[in-house]
Amino acid sequence: MKKLQIGVMGSAADLKYSEEALKFSRTLGRLIAESGNILIYGAEKEYTSLSTEASKEATKCGGITVGVVGGKEKRVYGEYSPTILIHSGLEIGGGREFSLVLSCDVIIAIAGGSGTLTEIAIAYQAGIPIIVVNKFGGWAESLSNQFLDERKRIKCISASSEREALEKAIEEGVKRYKNTECEGWL
């Protein structure tokens, strides 16, 4: 049975997220690890982010994490390296987001600035389910239960707790693959 590749997207440290958002991210990372699924995130070189904190917690709990880094660097921020590091060869804000998002079966967005908005837009265009946390502000809260445009491809599904976000991500990820002809996936 295939494990879902769940992307966690969210604010970088320079957006000064709250302690509550940080705790949420860490708990979400732990829950993804406990669920047996894979956490995918944009591995940063210079600073932490809500995504990095989720990955760090998943790694501590024995989960599988995949960090997609810009360029060819092997160095990532923090003491916990991802289980797998993908070198996109592309810079942050210049293409790395495509490799990151298209590697996900579903994404969960927490708060977020322009980078998170870019990742949400890529998921929307690709038909990848989007779960948005409806607290902590940022693009995630702004897009809660919204479509990105009049095409109404997929709605950004709102969640308010860590467990609810993961449950909806699993539900939408499984639904996505049941609607395809990918035998043996789920």
Side-chain angles (χ1 to χ4, degrees):
M1 183 154 144
K2 181 190 184 305
K3 296 174 185 242
L4 287 174
Q5 295 175 192
I6 301 172
V8 176
M9 316 296 163
S11 296
D14 60 349
L15 287 174
K16 298 179 178 36
Y17 44 76
S18 69
E19 189 65 34
E20 187 181 0
L22 179 62
K23 182 180 175 199
F24 186 101
S25 296
R26 289 176 176 161
T27 301
L28 179 62
R30 177 180 54 78
L31 291 173
I32 291 171
E34 290 172 355
S35 76
N37 291 296
I38 300 166
L39 188 151
I40 298 184
Y41 74 110
E44 306 292 347
K45 298 177 218 171
E46 291 84 23
Y47 44 76
T48 194
S49 66
L50 294 174
S51 307
T52 299
E53 294 297 323
S55 174
K56 188 166 80 173
E57 195 64 28
T59 300
K60 282 199 257 183
C61 295
I64 297 171
T65 59
V66 178
V68 180
V69 69
K72 299 179 277 182
E73 287 235 13
K74 296 201 182 297
R75 179 179 56 88
V76 296
Y77 182 86
E79 60 191 273
Y80 291 92
S81 293
T83 311
I84 299 165
L85 188 61
I86 305 293
H87 306 280
S88 69
L90 303 165
E91 290 307 314
I92 296 169
R96 185 229 14 202
E97 294 80 8
F98 288 101
S99 298
L100 169 59
V101 174
L102 297 176
S103 297
C104 300
D105 297 316
V106 59
I107 68 167
I108 300 172
I110 309 164
S114 60
T116 303
L117 177 60
T118 299
E119 293 156 350
I120 290 170
I122 292 167
Y124 183 81
Q125 289 288 93
I128 295 168
I130 304 160
I131 311 303
V132 292
V133 177
N134 63 12
K135 51 189 186 178
F136 314 125
W139 283 107
E141 187 171 341
S142 294
L143 293 170
S144 180
N145 292 316
Q146 301 294 315
F147 293 99
L148 263 60
D149 63 21
E150 293 306 312
R151 292 179 189 100
K152 297 185 177 181
R153 288 185 170 132
I154 56 174
K155 188 181 275 191
C156 295
I157 300 167
S158 182
S160 57
S161 74
E162 302 91 327
R163 191 164 304 283
E164 181 185 21
L166 178 58
E167 287 171 358
K168 287 182 175 186
I170 291 171
E171 178 184 335
E172 292 300 314
V174 168
K175 190 186 311 178
R176 181 173 182 230
Y177 279 102
K178 284 187 176 179
N179 290 332
T180 67
E181 295 182 24
C182 298
E183 287 187 39
W185 281 72
L186 297 170

